[in-house]
Amino acid sequence: MTDHRTERATQAFVDQRNLLFTVAYEMLGSAADAEDVLQESWLRWVAVDPDQIRDERAYLVRIVTRQALNRLRTMARRREAYIGPWLPEPLLTSPDVADDVELAESVSMALLLVLETLSPTERAVFVLREVFEVGYDDIAAAVDKSPAAVRQIASRARQHVEARRPRETVSPRQVATTLASFQHAVDTGDLQGLLGVLAPDVVLVSDGGGLKQAALRPIIGAEKAVRFLAGISAKTPGRITCEVASVNGTPALEFRISGELDGVLMVRVEEGLATGLYYVRNPEKLTRLASNTVLTRR
């Protein structure tokens, strides 16, 4: 490839990089794997003659989608050996992500977990169509299906997600109100005070990856969830503090022990109560909380 073509290809990739990362992350739930997918996609992109490309954005999304599908199959084998529940990797995001309601919902922990229940192809089709509004013909080219088949897959995936996604869209302010109760409980040591903001059938999922203390299966029920959190607090040496941060487009709590980041708690709020608690402690999944990750649908 000539220097001119290399520069052109590089500029096109850089221009679309934030979009491509967002596509890969929503398909994989892992920033580390999304970065690997982008690297693999770059190697394939620079081998293409740009003069033969009608729509660079669509072509790049197609390459990333194919690489992400390959990575999903590899990740499935890794998940089988994972210790305890697996949660998506949390990302520190700028407050403006919350301004795009559809983007914020699409990267929320609650929806990413719903996407985990789809097949790889269903997930790719749903993400491309519902989040990024990619046309059926372009999706078909990306997943090696006919446009008619893609329409059927999209409909099936949409119904599956709609049946499992949160029933209402909750504002960041409502989430922050719930988190304030957690922050007060940590500051005062009164974890029993959390019962007023937890739904009776709240589900607590903790991800330690075998590296930090976490429950090996989801904990169901407000009393059990509080006892679990109290147990971690009692066994943790050093002073526990927490502060609110924007994680995956919504307020979350970062927990620190003697100043060092120990975990992040995200909540699913419905009708004013926390119905889902997602607590990531695996240190390998906390690396993207040091600086903002730019996410975009455009």
Side-chain angles (χ1 to χ4, degrees), residues 179-180 182-189 191 232-233 236-245 252-265 279-281 286:
L179 289 176
F182 275 86
Q183 197 166 17
H184 178 74
V186 172
D187 291 341
T188 61
L191 291 178
I232 287 184
S233 177
T236 299
R239 180 170 178 266
I240 301 177
T241 59
C242 61
E243 56 189 36
V244 177
L253 280 185
E254 291 183 351
F255 287 86
R256 298 181 182 275
I257 298 177
S258 300
E260 294 294 323
L261 183 63
D262 180 73
V264 60
L265 177 74
Y279 188 21
V280 179
R281 297 192 76 201
L286 301 177

Side-chain angles (χ1 to χ4, degrees), residues 145-162:
K145 302 285 185 182
S146 69
V150 166
R151 288 179 181 275
Q152 291 182 334
I153 295 170
S155 176
R156 185 168 64 245
R158 191 182 305 114
Q159 291 175 6
H160 181 96
V161 172
E162 287 297 333

Side-chain angles (χ1 to χ4, degrees), residues 86-108:
W86 183 95
L87 287 174
E89 183 177 354
L91 307 176
L92 186 67
T93 52
S94 57
D96 61 351
V97 171
D99 295 337
D100 185 336
V101 176
E102 291 183 357
L103 175 61
E105 184 193 14
S106 71
V107 296
S108 68

Side-chain angles (χ1 to χ4, degrees), residues 2 68 100 136 143 149 152 168 170 173 217 251 268 286 295:
T2 65
D100 185 336
Y136 289 111
V143 300
Q152 291 182 334
E168 61 177 323
V170 179
R173 179 175 295 182
R217 57 185 57 84
R268 170 174 171 168
L286 301 177
L295 301 175

Side-chain angles (χ1 to χ4, degrees), residues 36-103:
D36 287 345
V37 161
L38 259 61
Q39 181 62 31
E40 295 160 0
S41 298
W42 161 251
L43 295 175
R44 284 158 177 76
W45 170 243
V46 294
V48 175
D49 181 357
D51 292 331
Q52 304 300 314
I53 305 302
R54 174 181 54 83
D55 184 336
E56 292 179 341
R57 177 185 183 274
Y59 197 91
L60 282 165
V61 168
R62 182 189 309 176
I63 295 175
V64 166
T65 298
R66 288 178 173 173
Q67 297 309 309
L69 283 170
N70 292 337
R71 182 58 61 110
L72 272 174
R73 298 179 181 106
T74 301
M75 292 173 67
R77 293 192 291 271
R78 294 202 326 244
R79 301 274 180 84
E80 292 175 359
Y82 198 80
I83 298 175
W86 183 95
L87 287 174
E89 183 177 354
L91 307 176
L92 186 67
T93 52
S94 57
D96 61 351
V97 171
D99 295 337
D100 185 336
V101 176
E102 291 183 357
L103 175 61

